[in-house]
Amino acid sequence: MWKVQLFRLNYDHRERDAAAAVVASGWLTMGERVVEFETAFAEFLGTPRVSCTAVSSGTAALHMALMALGVGPGDEVIIPALTFVADANVVRVVGATPVLADCTSLDDWNIAAASIELRITPRTKAVLIVHYAGYSCDMAGILDVCARHRLPLIEDVAHAPGATYHGQSCGTFGDIACFSFFSNKNLSIGEGGLLTTRNEQLHQRLRYLRSHGMTTLTLDRHQGRAISYDVIQPGLNYRLDEIHAALGLAQLEKLPAANRRRGQLTAAYRRQLASSGVTIPFAHSANATSVYHILPVLLPETADRRQIIEALKQRGVQSSIHYPPFWEFSAYRDHFSPAAAPIAAAIHPRELTLPLYPTMADVDVDYVVASLRAALGVQP
Ligand SMILES: *Cc1c(COP(=O)(O)O)cnc(C)c1O
């Protein structure tokens, strides 16, 4: 149906073989591949003393992060105004209140350290940031605010596996960081996620939360290392299974090259969209390396977004919106207003996401840009 779709999997025989090997192995969950994936991911992040805990989704990771930090009823958690609804949902699910902080500017759409500081109250229990579209947040500014107010920091790294800030990997700055490996993420395994922390106590708490608070695993008992278990704290089952971990290992090997290809395609979009009236955010991100999760653009103020999406569709180009604002959702209408985040409120109606994926061809970018220019009525 689509000539250029928003996203395509970067899959081949390697993922097929990896999954088939698990089926043949006779062991389906929490085995050697999960451990191998956690170890390989820690190595990929390249930061000393980072422990990884693989889980069933990015949302499970976020939920566990809040629980591990003791966030609950009466607490407030500061989150970005421009993000996926999971960040607000998990805060509500643990009984706390999400509080919105604004974007930095019409170019830097990431949460602003200054806006976080303005939202801090005596009830603030944690700060949750998102490296939007794969571009690192201002970590110096955010870490400074968190340190001065003694607030734990959670990084949502769903868009940014492999992104860096001054050479250090995103997902190694916060007290806890949460990755997602959902189908359309840079590392795709269907459903899956992972938490990182450098705090050994938090790491242990996350392990218990992941698997019923139990002290031993089925594999330990299978291998005769244990005959029973104790339960240390109430926990969940947010485990990752072996097939998904095997897919993760195959995808992790491809990730550096795939991220580089996303960067080349983004550079082509930037060149071709110059002087079109459409701007691509994060044009000025010094000292940071993006992993280009998506290709968001800011449409001209006068453009009719619905009409442009429809015109692109007529030419077989799929587009999307990242993200609809919280205050337009039924569950959040009474909680948030655009007045709380004027920059995000200005971006929301003008944001459009164009196709971007590592197997995309250069001519696909040409076609998308030509289609967008035609939709906008600007000369090619
Ligand atoms: C995808 C995503 C999530 C949720 O991850 P799942 O694995 O789908 O649960 C959370 N935050 C952001 C910013 C995301 O893009």
Side-chain angles (χ1 to χ4, degrees):
M1 159 182 190
W2 299 106
K3 202 170 148 73
V4 187
Q5 62 192 54
L6 195 65
F7 172 78
R8 272 177 190 277
L9 283 174
N10 181 18
Y11 266 42
D12 57 31
H13 65 93
R14 282 169 282 188
E15 284 78 10
R16 216 166 34 236
D17 294 348
V22 173
V23 173
S25 78
W27 194 267
L28 292 178
T29 191
M30 291 295 289
E32 286 164 10
R33 282 164 187 90
V34 170
V35 176
E36 211 183 312
F37 181 53
E38 289 172 340
T39 307
F41 202 83
E43 221 162 88
F44 169 74
L45 294 174
T47 308
R49 298 187 312 283
V50 168
S51 314
C52 294
T53 300
V55 293
S56 53
S57 73
T59 304
L62 290 165
H63 188 200
M64 288 166 64
L66 294 175
M67 291 177 75
L69 292 171
V71 177
D75 296 332
E76 293 175 354
V77 177
I78 296 171
I79 69 167
L82 181 66
T83 186
F84 183 52
V85 73
D87 294 307
N89 280 345
V90 289
V91 174
R92 292 274 300 279
V93 161
V94 300
T97 304
V99 173
L100 301 186
D102 206 357
C103 303
T104 307
S105 68
L106 288 184
D107 178 59
D108 181 348
W109 294 6
N110 275 324
I111 191 168
S115 184
I116 292 173
E117 187 148 32
L118 284 172
R119 298 284 178 268
I120 293 172
T121 76
R123 285 192 299 278
T124 307
K125 184 81 179 202
V127 174
L128 169 52
I129 63 165
V130 176
H131 304 285
Y132 180 94
Y135 298 84
S136 172
C137 294
D138 162 24
M139 293 317 302
I142 291 167
L143 288 169
D144 175 60
V145 170
C146 289
R148 280 191 286 106
H149 296 269
R150 298 180 187 284
L151 287 171
L153 176 66
I154 303 170
E155 290 178 81
D156 176 340
V157 209
H159 292 191
T164 62
Y165 174 85
H166 286 273
Q168 183 179 338
S169 290
C170 293
T172 66
F173 291 95
D175 294 85
I176 301 183
C178 303
F179 290 85
S180 166
F181 307 130
F182 180 65
S183 310
N184 66 7
K185 299 288 158 63
N186 289 38
L187 190 158
S188 329
I189 65 174
E191 300 287 357
L194 181 140
L195 298 116
T196 65
T197 181
R198 281 178 294 176
N199 178 320
E200 189 44 46
Q201 201 183 343
L202 283 176
H203 175 62
Q204 194 51 250
R205 220 175 282 166
L206 294 173
R207 293 273 156 167
Y208 288 136
L209 282 171
R210 174 173 69 176
S211 195
H212 310 293
M214 284 162 59
T215 51
T216 67
L217 302 173
T218 312
L219 185 64
D220 299 323
R221 297 188 292 280
H222 172 74
Q223 292 176 339
R225 287 199 292 257
I227 52 169
S228 186
Y229 52 83
D230 188 18
V231 174
I232 300 291
Q233 62 173 66
L236 300 151
N237 171 6
Y238 278 169
R239 296 184 301 249
L240 189 72
D241 67 67
E242 289 282 288
I243 294 180
H244 287 96
L247 294 175
L249 282 162
Q251 282 275 290
L252 188 58
E253 275 192 31
K254 296 177 176 179
L255 189 58
N259 285 345
R260 278 196 297 278
R261 178 62 185 151
R262 286 170 180 274
Q264 289 169 353
L265 293 160
T266 299
Y269 269 119
R270 283 191 193 281
R271 276 194 305 277
Q272 295 193 36
L273 281 171
S275 72
S276 65
V278 167
T279 59
I280 301 179
F282 302 101
H284 315 284
S285 45
N287 306 316
T289 312
S290 179
V291 290
Y292 312 97
H293 170 53
I294 51 174
L295 198 293
V297 302
L298 193 66
L299 296 173
E301 238 169 323
T302 50
D304 179 340
R305 182 168 64 176
R306 288 176 78 106
Q307 206 180 315
I308 289 167
I309 292 170
E310 191 49 44
L312 289 173
K313 187 176 166 192
Q314 292 304 321
R315 296 186 53 141
V317 174
Q318 189 184 13
S319 60
S320 183
I321 293 167
H322 290 84
Y323 292 91
F326 292 124
W327 45 82
E328 287 179 6
F329 295 134
S330 303
Y332 286 95
R333 197 162 290 143
D334 301 333
H335 292 258
F336 294 133
S337 101
I343 300 172
I347 292 168
H348 277 302
R350 295 170 57 190
E351 195 278 337
L352 184 72
T353 305
L354 300 177
L356 183 68
Y357 49 90
T359 58
M360 191 174 180
D362 294 343
V363 291
D364 294 330
V365 175
D366 301 345
Y367 185 78
V368 173
V369 170
S371 302
L372 181 59
R373 282 181 179 272
L376 287 162
V378 294
Q379 296 307 310

